[in-house]
């Protein structure tokens, strides 16, 4: 097979949550440049529309992932427009910090609702469209913290671990339908969500964050595009139920203090 065809995502219908900025936006742009038809998702209608127009996308949908009815409407809208979905990328995420001793359970519910429950629902509703693809692929963007614990961040770690296990179970259930389900787990990536946190950690510890990472630097959002394209293409046709860690080796060297 031609190598270009092996990695091609041309004409694939792709849905990416949380894709108006950060990792999601980078992946969306990458798929668009590779010839895919991409759905942009954001939380609010007006800001999502503005972001889609600015980024050059004509397909967009808004949904508050903390609201189950909003997620259902999002799925229903995509179903009403598309005859198939080739790639679903569950990327949107929310993170906030608290110790177990001082946990606010409303915060815990919010993190779980956005990071896990919403994506579970969207995935389940889009399965009929994924089955109509000749190469359906679901990519759940988790984190190295689906595997590696970090202090004062248990709800986030737990939500990502749950999402990772969802991929494994879904891979078993949907393999005979030709749908592959995998995790893409970023490490420390410079995004709007964590840029301030990275700076605080550096100030608190008196060192560059990159010194804790074997590749000696924090990752860029664009570095998630390659793994995402790979998992959505025929190049990964025999890969399902697994996790690709794109972290510069960070999970192997996470102890900071």
């Amino acid at each position: 097979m031609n190598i270009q065809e092996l990695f091609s995502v041309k004409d694939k219908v792709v849905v990416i949550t949380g894709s108006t900025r950060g990792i999601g936006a980078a992946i969306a742009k990458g798929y668009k440049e590779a010839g895919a038809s991409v759905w942009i998702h954001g939380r609010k209608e007006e800001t999502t529309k503005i972001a889609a127009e600015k980024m050059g996308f004509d397909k967009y949908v808004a949904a508050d992932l903390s609201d189950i009815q909003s997620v259902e409407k999002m799925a229903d809208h995509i179903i009403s427009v598309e005859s198939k979905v080739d790639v679903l990328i569950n990327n949107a995420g929310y993170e906030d910090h608290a110790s177990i001793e001082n946990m606010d359970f409303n915060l815990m519910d919010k993190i779980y609702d956005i990071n896990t429950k919403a994506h579970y629902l969207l995935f389940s509703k889009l399965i009929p469209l994924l089955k109509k693809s000749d190469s359906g692929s679901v990519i759940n963007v988790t984190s190295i913290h689906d595997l590696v614990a970090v202090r004062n961040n248990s709800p986030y770690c737990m939500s990502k671990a749950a999402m990772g296990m969802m991929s494994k179970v879904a891979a078993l259930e949907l393999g005979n339908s030709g749908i592959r389900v995998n995790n893409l787990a970023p490490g420390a990536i410079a995004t709007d969500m964590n840029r301030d946190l990275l700076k605080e950690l550096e100030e608190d510890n008196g060192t560059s964050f990159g010194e804790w990472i074997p590749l000696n630097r924090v990752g860029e959002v664009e570095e998630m595009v390659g793994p995402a394209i790979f998992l959505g293409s025929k190049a990964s046709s025999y890969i399902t139920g697994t996790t690709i860690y794109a972290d510069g080796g960070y999970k192997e060297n996470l102890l900071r203090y």
Side-chain angles (χ1 to χ4, degrees):
M1 179 180 290
N2 181 283
I3 291 297
Q4 289 184 334
E5 292 179 0
L6 192 64
F7 286 89
S8 175
V9 292
K10 189 175 186 299
D11 298 326
K12 287 185 181 291
V13 177
V14 182
V15 177
I16 309 174
T17 65
S19 44
T20 60
R21 63 179 185 172
I23 290 173
I27 292 174
K29 291 174 184 176
Y31 266 90
K32 182 176 182 290
E33 289 177 11
S37 174
V38 181
W39 281 86
I40 292 294
H41 160 261
R43 187 165 66 90
K44 296 181 179 180
E45 180 75 24
E46 185 60 29
T47 54
T48 303
K49 179 181 179 181
I50 291 171
E53 291 174 349
K54 184 177 180 180
M55 294 163 63
F57 292 87
D58 56 7
K59 293 181 178 180
Y60 68 91
V61 61
D64 180 351
L65 298 188
S66 67
D67 181 346
I68 292 302
Q69 290 184 337
S70 185
V71 178
E72 289 179 334
K73 289 180 180 178
M74 172 184 175
D76 289 341
H77 178 62
I78 294 170
I79 291 168
S80 72
V81 174
E82 300 289 359
S83 60
K84 67 167 184 172
V85 169
D86 298 295
V87 183
L88 169 62
I89 303 177
N90 289 315
N91 165 75
Y94 177 74
E95 182 177 10
D96 207 339
H97 297 77
S99 68
I100 295 173
E101 185 177 11
N102 299 307
M103 180 53 57
D104 177 343
F105 284 90
N106 290 324
L107 170 63
M108 188 173 188
D109 286 342
K110 181 178 180 180
I111 292 172
Y112 184 78
D113 285 347
I114 294 173
N115 291 359
T116 309
K117 193 173 180 179
H119 290 129
Y120 188 101
L121 174 60
L122 179 63
F123 177 18
S124 66
K125 288 190 66 94
L126 293 183
I127 286 174
L129 291 188
L130 286 160
K131 285 183 175 181
K132 292 181 180 178
S133 170
D134 62 359
S135 57
S137 175
V138 179
I139 304 167
N140 290 320
V141 179
T142 56
S143 164
I144 60 169
H145 299 303
D146 66 359
L147 179 68
V148 180
V150 64
R151 294 173 177 84
N152 302 319
N153 207 12
S154 58
Y156 180 80
C157 295
M158 291 161 64
S159 72
K160 292 299 186 178
M163 196 174 181
M165 181 53 71
M166 177 182 76
S167 297
K168 292 183 178 183
V169 175
L172 296 179
E173 293 185 5
L174 298 171
N176 61 2
S177 297
I179 298 172
R180 297 179 298 104
V181 188
N182 292 290
N183 301 314
L184 171 56
I189 307 298
T191 68
D192 292 339
M193 186 172 76
N194 67 9
R195 192 170 281 107
D196 289 341
L197 174 62
L198 293 175
K199 184 177 179 180
E200 288 176 11
L201 288 170
E202 289 181 348
E203 291 174 350
D204 290 344
N205 290 276
T207 185
S208 167
F209 200 98
E211 292 183 21
W212 297 320
I213 301 171
L215 287 186
N216 203 37
R217 62 180 176 83
V218 171
E220 301 295 334
V221 293
E222 291 79 12
E223 291 180 290
M224 300 301 105
V225 177
I229 294 285
F230 169 69
L231 288 173
S233 70
K234 291 181 180 179
S236 60
S237 60
Y238 202 55
I239 298 175
T240 193
T242 195
T243 301
I244 291 180
Y245 289 96
D247 67 343
Y250 185 30
K251 71 180 177 64
E252 311 302 337
N253 191 37
L254 190 61
L255 187 62
R256 296 193 291 262
Y257 54 88

